[in-house]
Amino acid sequence: MRLLRPSGAGPTGGDEDDDAALLRAVARGDSEALGVLYDRHAGWLHARLARRCPDEETVREVLQDTFVTVWRSAGSHRGRGEAGGWLWVIAARRLVDAQRVRARADRADRAAAPAEPPTPSPSAEERVLAGLEYGEVGAALDRISPELAEVLRATVVDGLTTRETARLLGIPEGTVKTRALRARRELRAALGAGGPYPLGGTA
């Protein structure tokens, strides 16, 4: 696979038909097509990942892992939605996975060296992600309607916009917004007091 250093900070504006054709070629094992797809999208993916993660090494690893995943699963795209949205879904999930691995490693390091000075308090986003997966919010999320929970997971855990969530779930953007509002109401009710978690998605 020919993966080059990312350049640029935004989508190239290439024709979606071209992207779909490239993905079909990648699915057939065409590594050159993967290189072209990488050159077209790596820049803006890198910039967006960097806004969510300050660690440059993690961002580079996630970007590489994203295109390894594309190489292995390009056939699953099947022309559904824009390629950019599909790529970001993969990248966002790989970033969440990497952050979980790092969090587990940090906990193991702290347990092995309890005398070390305390680490800085987690950010609001990190508290949300941890709560959605493991804490009280996670348990409450399992009690609300599945179609509402999947919207929250997409917009909060994966960090997708309303448009990207709509593409991912195959529903209209208006439905995403409506379900997000209902999901937050149901989640607050399940928590009992509307906890301090900033559960709003991005438009």
Side-chain angles (χ1 to χ4, degrees), residues 144 148-149 152 178-188:
I144 72 174
L148 303 184
L152 277 188
T178 300
R179 289 184 182 179
L181 290 173
R182 288 175 53 202
R184 287 194 287 274
R185 285 198 298 268
E186 287 196 14
L187 189 58
R188 291 188 186 106

Side-chain angles (χ1 to χ4, degrees), residues 6 25 38 42 82 85 105 155:
Y38 184 93
E82 296 178 9
T155 56

Side-chain angles (χ1 to χ4, degrees), residues 1 3 7 20 24 27 29 47 64 75 79 92 97 103 110-112 120 133 139 143 153 167 197 199:
M1 294 179 292
L3 301 187
S7 61
R24 289 193 297 270
Q64 292 292 109
D97 290 342
R110 288 195 297 270
E133 292 301 310
R143 295 197 295 268
R153 287 194 172 97
R167 291 172 186 153
Y197 300 93
L199 293 170

Side-chain angles (χ1 to χ4, degrees), residues 106-120:
D106 288 345
R107 287 195 297 269
D109 289 344
R110 288 195 297 270
E116 291 182 359
T119 57

